[in-house]
PDB file of all heavy atoms in Angstrom:
ATOM      1  N   ARG A 504      -3.676  -6.155  -7.258  1.00  0.00           N
ATOM      2  CA  ARG A 504      -2.374  -5.764  -7.834  1.00  0.00           C
ATOM      3  C   ARG A 504      -1.395  -6.923  -7.791  1.00  0.00           C
ATOM      4  O   ARG A 504      -0.537  -7.050  -8.675  1.00  0.00           O
ATOM      5  CB  ARG A 504      -1.823  -4.557  -7.102  1.00  0.00           C
ATOM      6  CG  ARG A 504      -2.684  -3.306  -7.345  1.00  0.00           C
ATOM      7  CD  ARG A 504      -2.129  -2.128  -6.662  1.00  0.00           C
ATOM      8  NE  ARG A 504      -0.958  -1.694  -7.398  1.00  0.00           N
ATOM      9  CZ  ARG A 504      -0.291  -0.601  -7.139  1.00  0.00           C
ATOM     10  NH1 ARG A 504      -0.662   0.173  -6.149  1.00  0.00           N
ATOM     11  NH2 ARG A 504       0.766  -0.273  -7.835  1.00  0.00           N
ATOM     12  N   GLY A 505      -1.488  -7.773  -6.770  1.00  0.00           N
ATOM     13  CA  GLY A 505      -0.609  -8.933  -6.669  1.00  0.00           C
ATOM     14  C   GLY A 505      -0.784  -9.896  -7.832  1.00  0.00           C
ATOM     15  O   GLY A 505       0.158 -10.552  -8.258  1.00  0.00           O
ATOM     16  N   LYS A 506      -2.012  -9.980  -8.352  1.00  0.00           N
ATOM     17  CA  LYS A 506      -2.285 -10.855  -9.495  1.00  0.00           C
ATOM     18  C   LYS A 506      -1.588 -10.355 -10.762  1.00  0.00           C
ATOM     19  O   LYS A 506      -1.316 -11.136 -11.669  1.00  0.00           O
ATOM     20  CB  LYS A 506      -3.791 -10.930  -9.760  1.00  0.00           C
ATOM     21  CG  LYS A 506      -4.579 -11.626  -8.684  1.00  0.00           C
ATOM     22  CD  LYS A 506      -6.052 -11.552  -9.005  1.00  0.00           C
ATOM     23  CE  LYS A 506      -6.908 -12.025  -7.848  1.00  0.00           C
ATOM     24  NZ  LYS A 506      -8.339 -11.808  -8.118  1.00  0.00           N
ATOM     25  N   LYS A 507      -1.325  -9.057 -10.834  1.00  0.00           N
ATOM     26  CA  LYS A 507      -0.753  -8.464 -12.034  1.00  0.00           C
ATOM     27  C   LYS A 507       0.768  -8.387 -12.000  1.00  0.00           C
ATOM     28  O   LYS A 507       1.375  -7.929 -12.959  1.00  0.00           O
ATOM     29  CB  LYS A 507      -1.322  -7.049 -12.231  1.00  0.00           C
ATOM     30  CG  LYS A 507      -2.817  -7.041 -12.456  1.00  0.00           C
ATOM     31  CD  LYS A 507      -3.329  -5.628 -12.569  1.00  0.00           C
ATOM     32  CE  LYS A 507      -4.850  -5.606 -12.706  1.00  0.00           C
ATOM     33  NZ  LYS A 507      -5.378  -4.246 -12.727  1.00  0.00           N
ATOM     34  N   LEU A 508       1.385  -8.820 -10.906  1.00  0.00           N
ATOM     35  CA  LEU A 508       2.842  -8.766 -10.818  1.00  0.00           C
ATOM     36  C   LEU A 508       3.476  -9.721 -11.819  1.00  0.00           C
ATOM     37  O   LEU A 508       2.985 -10.818 -12.042  1.00  0.00           O
ATOM     38  CB  LEU A 508       3.312  -9.134  -9.414  1.00  0.00           C
ATOM     39  CG  LEU A 508       3.077  -8.105  -8.322  1.00  0.00           C
ATOM     40  CD1 LEU A 508       3.533  -8.666  -6.975  1.00  0.00           C
ATOM     41  CD2 LEU A 508       3.821  -6.820  -8.616  1.00  0.00           C
ATOM     42  N   GLN A 509       4.566  -9.280 -12.397  1.00  0.00           N
ATOM     43  CA  GLN A 509       5.310 -10.132 -13.306  1.00  0.00           C
ATOM     44  C   GLN A 509       6.138 -11.114 -12.488  1.00  0.00           C
ATOM     45  O   GLN A 509       6.418 -10.899 -11.311  1.00  0.00           O
ATOM     46  CB  GLN A 509       6.233  -9.278 -14.167  1.00  0.00           C
ATOM     47  CG  GLN A 509       5.494  -8.293 -15.050  1.00  0.00           C
ATOM     48  CD  GLN A 509       6.462  -7.438 -15.834  1.00  0.00           C
ATOM     49  OE1 GLN A 509       7.624  -7.762 -15.984  1.00  0.00           O
ATOM     50  NE2 GLN A 509       5.970  -6.313 -16.347  1.00  0.00           N
ATOM     51  N   THR A 510       6.549 -12.190 -13.122  1.00  0.00           N
ATOM     52  CA  THR A 510       7.353 -13.178 -12.412  1.00  0.00           C
ATOM     53  C   THR A 510       8.839 -12.823 -12.440  1.00  0.00           C
ATOM     54  O   THR A 510       9.613 -13.344 -11.647  1.00  0.00           O
ATOM     55  CB  THR A 510       7.167 -14.582 -13.009  1.00  0.00           C
ATOM     56  OG1 THR A 510       7.476 -14.525 -14.405  1.00  0.00           O
ATOM     57  CG2 THR A 510       5.720 -15.041 -12.823  1.00  0.00           C
ATOM     58  N   ALA A 511       9.241 -11.946 -13.343  1.00  0.00           N
ATOM     59  CA  ALA A 511      10.650 -11.550 -13.423  1.00  0.00           C
ATOM     60  C   ALA A 511      10.740 -10.084 -13.862  1.00  0.00           C
ATOM     61  O   ALA A 511       9.886  -9.598 -14.598  1.00  0.00           O
ATOM     62  CB  ALA A 511      11.393 -12.433 -14.410  1.00  0.00           C
ATOM     63  N   TYR A 512      11.795  -9.423 -13.427  1.00  0.00           N
ATOM     64  CA  TYR A 512      12.027  -8.036 -13.784  1.00  0.00           C
ATOM     65  C   TYR A 512      13.471  -7.870 -14.209  1.00  0.00           C
ATOM     66  O   TYR A 512      14.357  -8.564 -13.731  1.00  0.00           O
ATOM     67  CB  TYR A 512      11.754  -7.111 -12.581  1.00  0.00           C
ATOM     68  CG  TYR A 512      10.321  -7.102 -12.157  1.00  0.00           C
ATOM     69  CD1 TYR A 512       9.851  -8.002 -11.217  1.00  0.00           C
ATOM     70  CD2 TYR A 512       9.423  -6.195 -12.696  1.00  0.00           C
ATOM     71  CE1 TYR A 512       8.525  -8.011 -10.823  1.00  0.00           C
ATOM     72  CE2 TYR A 512       8.102  -6.189 -12.313  1.00  0.00           C
ATOM     73  CZ  TYR A 512       7.647  -7.099 -11.371  1.00  0.00           C
ATOM     74  OH  TYR A 512       6.348  -7.100 -10.991  1.00  0.00           O
ATOM     75  N   ASP A 513      13.722  -6.915 -15.120  1.00  0.00           N
ATOM     76  CA  ASP A 513      15.096  -6.626 -15.527  1.00  0.00           C
ATOM     77  C   ASP A 513      15.817  -5.850 -14.433  1.00  0.00           C
ATOM     78  O   ASP A 513      16.955  -6.162 -14.091  1.00  0.00           O
ATOM     79  CB  ASP A 513      15.111  -5.801 -16.817  1.00  0.00           C
ATOM     80  CG  ASP A 513      14.605  -6.616 -18.004  1.00  0.00           C
ATOM     81  OD1 ASP A 513      14.735  -7.848 -17.963  1.00  0.00           O
ATOM     82  OD2 ASP A 513      14.094  -6.005 -18.946  1.00  0.00           O
ATOM     83  N   ILE A 515      15.068  -3.511 -10.597  1.00  0.00           N
ATOM     84  CA  ILE A 515      14.182  -2.994  -9.559  1.00  0.00           C
ATOM     85  C   ILE A 515      14.897  -1.823  -8.909  1.00  0.00           C
ATOM     86  O   ILE A 515      15.991  -1.987  -8.362  1.00  0.00           O
ATOM     87  CB  ILE A 515      13.861  -4.073  -8.501  1.00  0.00           C
ATOM     88  CG1 ILE A 515      13.108  -5.240  -9.142  1.00  0.00           C
ATOM     89  CG2 ILE A 515      13.040  -3.460  -7.360  1.00  0.00           C
ATOM     90  CD1 ILE A 515      12.831  -6.386  -8.198  1.00  0.00           C
TER      91      ILE A 515
END
Side-chain angles (χ1 to χ4, degrees):
R504 293 181 74 173
K506 292 176 190 174
K507 297 177 184 176
L508 287 177
Q509 298 177 18
T510 56
Y512 295 89
D513 292 333
I515 297 176

